[in-house]
Amino acid sequence: MSDLRDLYQEIILEHSKQPRNYRAIPAANHKAEGYNPLCGDHFTVYLTLEGDTIRDVSFEGSGCAISKASASMMTQALKGKSRADAEELFEKFHKLVTGHAESNGAESLGKLAAFSGVSEFPVRVKCATLAWHTLQAALKGEQEAVSTE
Ligand code: ZN
């Protein structure tokens, strides 16, 4: 189990140092901003939605290692997925980081399982889910900034 933990920590560190899809999408048709005042995390999520499919998704901003890695892995996981897939994945991810995952929940999340340790640190749950909440706001087309508070 400690090997797995090390691996998870490595994945999170690696993504926080070199976040994927870290850029603006000038032609994005959905966009939202999210804050986590408790930690100072602040991201903008860009989304190119074509019908019901997420053609492209990216983010910009600043935050702690967990929030950045989560945003990075989220963009990787969601590209090419449908709106419904994105919602289902968020639900699973949310259960994982709040410690309510079903026994096979982590496996179906792939790399996102790296965040399972977050459930031991409730204050970090907001860091891990900020990008996801922001994405949901972008999907809904909400213009107001999302706050975890
Ligand atoms: Zn944070």
Side-chain angles (χ1 to χ4, degrees):
M1 199 56 198
S2 75
D3 283 354
L4 189 63
R5 213 167 258 236
D6 289 348
L7 172 72
Y8 282 173
Q9 250 167 22
E10 244 169 69
I11 295 174
I12 290 175
L13 268 180
E14 200 263 325
H15 273 265
S16 71
K17 282 185 193 149
Q18 286 195 310
R20 315 302 198 274
N21 303 302
Y22 188 80
R23 59 188 158 86
I25 303 174
N29 51 13
H30 290 253
K31 171 176 131 174
E33 233 180 298
Y35 297 93
N36 173 13
L38 271 189
C39 181
D41 312 316
H42 176 203
F43 295 122
T44 302
V45 170
Y46 299 86
L47 200 59
T48 307
L49 208 61
E50 220 178 85
D52 211 29
T53 306
I54 297 170
R55 279 283 163 243
D56 203 3
V57 50
S58 72
F59 77 105
E60 267 188 336
S62 60
C64 64
I66 289 183
S67 65
K68 217 177 224 181
S70 174
S72 169
M73 278 189 244
M74 176 191 81
T75 59
Q76 277 196 319
L78 293 184
K79 222 181 260 194
K81 295 270 172 32
S82 73
R83 195 186 269 255
D85 289 341
E87 269 159 29
E88 198 189 315
L89 202 59
F90 178 38
E91 204 172 299
K92 279 187 192 162
F93 183 74
H94 197 263
K95 280 184 181 163
L96 179 83
V97 295
T98 52
H100 299 103
E102 289 122 53
S103 50
N104 64 344
E107 280 154 53
S108 59
L109 278 165
K111 262 203 217 168
L112 290 168
F115 292 92
S116 57
V118 169
S119 62
E120 288 165 42
F121 307 95
V123 75
R124 289 302 195 180
V125 170
K126 288 176 177 173
C127 301
T129 56
L130 175 64
W132 292 84
H133 285 297
T134 311
L135 175 102
Q136 282 211 317
L139 276 172
K140 286 181 192 145
E142 284 165 7
Q143 294 299 314
E144 257 173 67
V146 185
S147 172
T148 54
E149 294 308 301

